[in-house]
Amino acid sequence: MALPIYRLRRVLGTIAIVLTIVVIGMYFYARARTHDVRKQVPNKIGYDIKQTARGFQFSKSDGKRTLFSVQASDVKEFKLNGRAELHNVSIILYGKDSSRYDQIYGDDFSYEPKTGDVEAKGDVQIDLVANPGGSTGPDQSAPKNVKNAIHLKTRDLIFNKNTGDASTSARVDFSTPQARGSAVGVKYAGKSNVLTLSSQIHMEMNGANGAVIDADHGIITNQPREITLEHPRLTQKNSNVVADRAVFHLGPEDNIEDIVASGNVITETQLAKESTNAEEHAELRSRADAADLQLMGNQNLLRTATLTGNVHVEETGSRSMQGEAGRVILQFAGQNQLQTIHATDGTRLWGENAASKQSGPTSEAQNFEITAPTIDFAMVDGNRLDHAETSGAAKITISPVKVESSSTGSVESQAGQPPLRVSQGRGAEDNPGTRKAHVPAAGESAQPSTTFITAGRFVAHFANEQGRSYLTTINGAPNARIVNLTPGQPGRVSTSDSVDAMFLPEGGIESVTQTGKVFYTDNQPSEKRVQAWARNAHYTPSDQTLVLTGNPRVISGSMETTARTIRINRATGDAGADTDVKSTYNDLKEEPDGALLASASPIHVTARSMTAQNNPGVAVYTGNARLWQDANVIEAPSIQFDRDHRSVIAQGTPGRPVQTVLIQSRQSRVDSGGAAPDGSSGVRDSREERARSSTEQQKRGSISASESSPIAITAAKLTYTDSERKAHYEGGVAAKGSDFNASGKTLDAYLKARGGDRNNQPGNGPGQLDHMVAQGDVLVQQPNRRAEGQKLVYTAADDKFVLTGGSPSIFDAEQGKITGVSLTFFRRDDRVLVEGEASSPVVTETRVAR
């Protein structure tokens, strides 16, 4: 707000000169009236009296120049009591150095010798004119150029020649080219040259701004040359200023050199409406213990304005912003154009999103606060903020908008207050890993998070709209640091070379970007700790999400992930990654009772994207996902991996099913007897089959224990938990071995433990199949066989298939089709064990050659 200081200066300075000169003139006039001013005692009082065409004129000089002259149409002295009267009086005062040409005139004056009072009867007119060139011009000549003449009017002015005091209880009106005004009651102390304006001081400035100055009381002194106003109030269009006291220090030419206001210096300015539908004007308020305004010589222009002591500035409205400092210095240039603002001694600037105060706990709005030892603001056009720069250790605090709970009525957080202060002790944001944990009670909601941003220096930029300035960006460097503090959790910290904060138009911070050597840690215990490295990081306080780019790498507990883009939720620790994702799970312990993922070797996962939860440690990989440990591989469009339980849920699509590879190991010798493997009776076997089996056995000899072959299994979905050693497949299941294919609706593959029998020594080889169970429309195909049923049990050790359910049947290209209640056959020979019941006898269909 540009104060009309140059006008105030002229008015008050001139008033002081006028009233002082009036009193001096009255004093000399009273002394002249105590004698026969025309004839009797001219030599005694030193007056040169002469009669003129208009009456009588007398003057007083110091031997070099005239001090004052008095013109009157008539002078009468009453000999009975010595009382004298002057009529139609005009007094001109030149000053000791001829620098004045002030005139006092009135109709009637009287002198009372007993009291020494000189009293003006009725109105007294006073014209005050400065005459700087009077000392070089002719004596008693009027000034060539009259500048800033001031006219005053009062009545019933009383001057006492004994004390030199003058006073009137009447109203004093004055006018200048710049202003007009009045006061009620004037007192002048002759010995101390102190002029007092008793009450109701009122000045109205001329011009379009319509400024008005009111004060309860005023004092004007010559030594020192100053004007003091009690409880001054400056009011102009859309603004006003009040203080307990204001002192105007005057220069040699009665110019105001500076103004010192003290005691609750308060300014209020109505800002432009934010929109045509706004019901109220936004307002800018400021308060300080004292203010010192320095002016530039005779130019009537502000040079500096210094506010000291508990300086507070507040802007209301949807873009609510407040600031405070111990000392604020405003620098001006040109025609009172504000250039810079220097705020120091504990500067603090904060903003609140008033439009979102009722939005509720899930609102994305936040409050922000900037603190620094010093903040320097640069202005453009005298009234618009352009940018600001901090000095010393600076900090930005971001906290969510606090609202009242609608269900309980209790205050969860209070809008309109400074941002949340985290009560963990001084400097906790600098040592976030040492905070004492708070365990939420049952049913207690999650605590809001407060974010602290620090850097060696911050540079803020502002935009202007509808006459108002608002914050748009802040850049911080070097040694940028962001700390998230949530009650009950360690602080989450990220560091970088620099940081940039983007602000929302309606208030609050939209995003924070860190650049150069970004490092992030959540300070959790080592087994859960999340750490990240990247060239760039983009943080949004509304959802507390940190997005890392530029070769990002994240370590979460024992999981390390790289990708083109990685996202971390700084509140929950959840993470996500996109494009060229690769995760490695390290520091694994070997699980002897496990199988597919039981090795101590790292587990690797690649995919197009990934999402992970910090607690529990579950990650979901999508887009050509591939998980492997040693030789064990799972491939699927989507894989969910639980690192704590070493469990997998793989989901396929019609075009891309889940794929796994298991290893089948067989015993050293296969039983070729006629009994069923389970010892059951009622089994039928043909001589031809036994003979053929025996022949094949002799040709091959015994089967080596080390002989193994892979089995590839595909399905729409796979569920596997390593502690159970069970892989459950469902949806279009297909298992493919070296010389067989099996399919069904579901399949359960049971794996051997890594610390199993003597033939299954621990190692880093592929998971070894113990047996598998397929159900629902089971189909088994071999080069010369085709078997169907509803349930299949396959035992890897002896390569045995047991098919049951729904009249299982087997078709052999040479032997024909066999149907029974249970069919048992072996992959490596032609034996088929068929079991039937009385109600379902065994049926053999033999193809007859013709």
Side-chain angles (χ1 to χ4, degrees):
M1 177 185 68
L3 301 177
I5 299 301
Y6 64 97
R7 298 181 178 176
L8 176 63
R9 158 184 153 183
R10 294 176 182 175
V11 172
L12 296 180
T14 308
I15 290 173
I17 297 171
V18 167
L19 294 178
T20 303
I21 295 175
V22 168
V23 172
I24 295 172
M26 293 298 297
Y27 170 74
F28 285 112
Y29 173 71
R31 292 191 61 184
R33 291 292 298 153
T34 59
H35 302 279
D36 186 344
V37 295
R38 291 177 296 173
K39 299 178 180 180
Q40 297 180 6
V41 288
N43 294 329
K44 292 183 179 181
I45 62 176
Y47 293 156
D48 180 18
I49 302 175
K50 62 182 179 178
Q51 189 171 1
T52 68
R54 297 178 56 188
F56 298 93
Q57 176 179 321
F58 54 90
S59 60
K60 175 68 174 180
S61 66
D62 61 358
K64 297 180 180 180
R65 285 185 173 270
T66 302
L67 301 178
F68 69 89
S69 64
V70 179
Q71 178 77 39
S73 63
D74 186 29
V75 179
K76 293 183 179 180
E77 182 180 7
F78 300 93
K79 296 182 179 180
L80 182 62
N81 54 15
R83 184 171 175 270
E85 291 183 353
L86 278 75
H87 300 286
N88 298 324
V89 177
S90 174
I91 306 172
I92 301 177
L93 300 100
Y94 305 98
K96 293 183 178 180
D97 55 358
S98 300
S99 61
R100 307 296 310 172
Y101 194 81
D102 301 324
Q103 301 181 65
I104 305 171
Y105 45 94
D107 292 337
D108 298 296
F109 288 81
S110 66
Y111 169 67
E112 180 61 55
K114 292 182 179 180
T115 61
D117 290 338
V118 178
E119 181 177 358
K121 300 294 185 179
D123 294 340
V124 176
Q125 309 285 337
I126 305 172
D127 291 328
L128 302 179
V129 178
N131 186 23
S135 60
T136 59
D139 189 19
Q140 295 187 341
S141 63
K144 295 180 179 180
N145 298 313
V146 176
K147 297 181 179 179
N148 302 319
I150 300 175
H151 178 74
L152 296 95
K153 179 180 179 181
T154 187
R155 59 180 298 110
D156 303 334
L157 183 68
I158 300 175
F159 172 77
N160 187 275
K161 74 177 185 66
N162 299 321
T163 62
D165 298 341
S167 64
T168 178
S169 59
R171 173 188 174 106
V172 177
D173 294 309
F174 58 86
S175 63
T176 73
Q178 294 80 27
R180 61 185 183 276
S182 64
V184 176
V186 176
K187 296 180 180 179
Y188 175 77
K191 293 182 179 180
S192 61
N193 292 329
V194 175
L195 179 65
T196 302
L197 306 177
S198 300
S199 63
Q200 300 182 38
I201 302 172
H202 178 81
M203 289 182 287
E204 297 180 3
M205 311 303 295
N206 299 330
N209 62 357
V212 175
I213 299 176
D214 294 286
D216 294 345
H217 188 74
I219 298 176
I220 304 172
T221 61
N222 284 329
Q223 295 296 329
R225 191 70 171 148
E226 62 186 30
I227 304 170
T228 301
L229 297 180
E230 300 292 335
H231 299 107
R233 299 174 297 280
L234 170 65
T235 303
Q236 63 178 2
K237 183 180 180 181
N238 298 329
S239 65
N240 60 79
V241 182
V242 300
D244 291 345
R245 173 177 293 186
V247 178
F248 300 78
H249 297 101
L250 306 180
E253 298 182 3
D254 296 325
N255 58 295
I256 299 179
E257 294 182 338
D258 69 88
I259 303 171
V260 178
S262 59
N264 295 312
V265 182
I266 298 173
T267 66
E268 295 181 352
T269 302
Q270 297 292 329
L271 303 177
K273 286 185 177 181
E274 298 180 15
S275 68
T276 56
N277 297 324
E279 296 181 358
E280 297 182 357
H281 290 275
E283 190 172 55
L284 180 64
R285 302 172 184 168
S286 69
R287 185 218 166 270
D289 292 342
D292 187 352
L293 283 70
Q294 298 286 330
L295 297 139
M296 294 184 288
N298 294 320
Q299 301 179 31
N300 299 322
L301 298 174
L302 275 170
R303 182 173 72 247
T304 62
T306 303
L307 307 179
T308 56
N310 301 310
V311 182
H312 182 91
V313 180
E314 177 180 0
E315 179 181 347
T316 62
S318 63
R319 297 190 185 105
S320 176
M321 187 177 295
Q322 300 183 58
E324 62 183 22
R327 182 182 180 89
V328 177
I329 301 174
L330 296 87
Q331 295 281 349
F332 296 84
Q335 298 297 316
N336 288 339
Q337 294 290 305
L338 182 59
Q339 298 294 303
T340 63
I341 301 174
H342 178 77
T344 188
D345 296 344
T347 306
R348 178 167 163 253
L349 179 69
W350 69 91
E352 298 168 350
N353 191 345
S356 301
K357 289 179 181 178
Q358 304 300 325
S359 301
T362 60
S363 170
E364 295 184 356
Q366 329 93 31
N367 299 328
F368 77 90
E369 173 185 339
I370 304 173
T371 57
T374 300
I375 301 180
D376 289 289
F377 299 86
M379 310 293 294
V380 291
D381 299 333
N383 60 356
R384 295 188 294 113
L385 281 170
D386 182 68
H387 65 275
E389 182 176 331
T390 67
S391 299
K395 178 172 66 176
I396 299 175
T397 303
I398 308 169
S399 61
V401 171
K402 307 172 220 175
V403 297
E404 293 187 0
S405 172
S406 58
S407 58
T408 63
S410 63
V411 176
E412 294 180 355
S413 48
Q414 180 65 47
Q417 296 296 325
L420 176 68
R421 288 283 193 264
V422 180
S423 57
Q424 74 279 354
R426 185 175 183 180
E429 65 271 18
D430 296 323
N431 297 281
T434 63
R435 299 181 60 225
K436 184 178 180 181
H438 161 74
V439 180
E444 183 178 347
S445 60
Q447 297 294 321
S449 174
T450 301
T451 302
F452 300 91
I453 306 174
T454 59
R457 184 191 66 170
F458 285 110
V459 177
H461 294 273
F462 297 82
N464 296 272
E465 181 180 334
Q466 296 181 348
R468 303 182 62 194
S469 299
Y470 60 93
L471 197 57
T472 56
T473 63
I474 289 181
N475 171 265
N479 303 322
R481 177 182 173 94
I482 300 178
V483 179
N484 289 101
L485 292 182
T486 301
Q489 299 181 18
R492 294 172 170 83
V493 181
S494 60
T495 60
S496 61
D497 292 339
S498 64
V499 61
D500 291 277
M502 301 289 294
F503 287 77
L504 295 164
E506 64 272 15
I509 293 183
E510 179 182 17
S511 64
V512 179
T513 300
Q514 292 181 268
T515 305
K517 300 178 182 177
V518 177
F519 171 71
Y520 167 80
T521 179
D522 63 1
N523 284 303
Q524 294 281 348
S526 58
E527 65 274 10
K528 295 183 178 180
R529 183 175 303 156
V530 175
Q531 294 179 304
W533 295 262
R535 285 198 303 267
N536 308 298
H538 186 78
Y539 174 64
T540 51
S542 60
D543 56 10
Q544 299 190 47
T545 298
L546 182 69
V547 179
L548 304 173
T549 57
N551 297 324
R553 178 169 63 97
V554 174
I555 296 178
S556 177
S558 62
M559 179 184 75
E560 179 177 349
T561 299
T562 61
R564 290 190 183 179
T565 303
I566 296 179
R567 303 178 308 277
I568 300 174
N569 188 298
R570 298 183 65 149
T572 64
D574 295 349
D578 294 300
T579 311
D580 299 334
V581 178
K582 180 178 180 181
S583 296
T584 300
Y585 295 83
N586 298 298
D587 301 329
L588 300 177
K589 294 181 179 179
E590 185 168 343
E591 300 291 344
D593 293 331
L596 195 63
L597 303 174
S599 169
S601 301
I603 295 176
H604 306 279
V605 188
T606 60
R608 186 168 54 247
S609 63
M610 180 274 287
T611 58
Q613 296 178 343
N614 188 48
N615 187 22
V618 177
V620 178
Y621 298 85
T622 57
N624 298 323
R626 187 173 189 267
L627 181 148
W628 73 95
Q629 184 186 50
D630 300 326
N632 299 317
V633 180
I634 299 174
E635 295 180 318
S638 173
I639 295 177
Q640 176 178 302
F641 177 61
D642 185 339
R643 66 180 176 187
D644 297 331
H645 300 91
R646 300 199 194 187
S647 64
V648 174
I649 298 176
Q651 185 69 54
T653 64
R656 290 293 302 271
V658 180
Q659 299 184 55
T660 59
V661 177
L662 305 177
I663 296 300
Q664 170 207 10
S665 296
R666 293 183 293 277
Q667 293 178 348
S668 61
R669 193 174 297 276
V670 177
D671 183 7
S672 59
D678 58 0
S680 61
S681 60
V683 177
R684 300 179 60 187
D685 190 8
S686 64
R687 292 190 182 95
E688 293 82 0
E689 289 172 345
R690 287 199 299 268
R692 185 164 51 251
S693 175
S694 177
T695 302
E696 294 294 330
Q697 189 81 356
Q698 293 175 2
K699 291 181 179 180
R700 292 195 304 267
S702 61
I703 301 175
S704 172
S706 63
E707 184 177 354
S708 62
S709 61
I711 299 178
I713 303 176
T714 61
K717 184 178 180 180
L718 163 66
T719 302
Y720 175 76
T721 301
D722 204 60
S723 60
E724 299 176 359
R725 302 194 306 278
K726 173 185 174 182
H728 175 74
Y729 301 87
E730 57 184 88
V733 181
K736 184 177 181 179
S738 59
D739 56 359
F740 83 93
N741 294 326
S743 63
K745 291 182 178 180
T746 66
L747 186 147
D748 291 320
Y750 297 87
L751 307 180
K752 294 181 179 181
R754 290 187 58 80
D757 59 34
R758 62 189 177 186
N759 294 320
N760 183 34
Q761 296 298 322
N764 296 331
Q768 296 191 15
L769 178 66
D770 182 78
H771 68 282
M772 63 183 182
V773 179
Q775 300 190 68
D777 300 332
V778 176
L779 174 64
V780 180
Q781 291 181 304
Q782 291 180 286
N784 297 315
R785 292 177 181 172
R786 175 186 173 91
E788 296 180 354
Q790 293 301 314
K791 180 178 180 180
L792 171 68
V793 177
Y794 171 73
T795 305
D798 51 10
D799 251 356
K800 182 178 67 176
F801 296 86
V802 179
L803 191 62
T804 59
S807 300
S809 63
I810 184 170
F811 176 79
D812 187 290
E814 297 180 0
Q815 303 299 324
K817 181 178 180 181
I818 302 174
T819 302
V821 174
S822 173
L823 299 178
T824 302
F825 55 96
F826 299 87
R827 185 163 62 127
R828 291 300 182 179
D829 56 39
D830 294 333
R831 290 183 300 148
V832 177
L833 307 179
V834 184
E835 182 178 354
E837 296 178 351
S839 58
S840 301
V842 175
V843 178
T844 301
E845 298 179 3
T846 303
R847 178 180 298 176
V848 178
R850 301 191 180 188

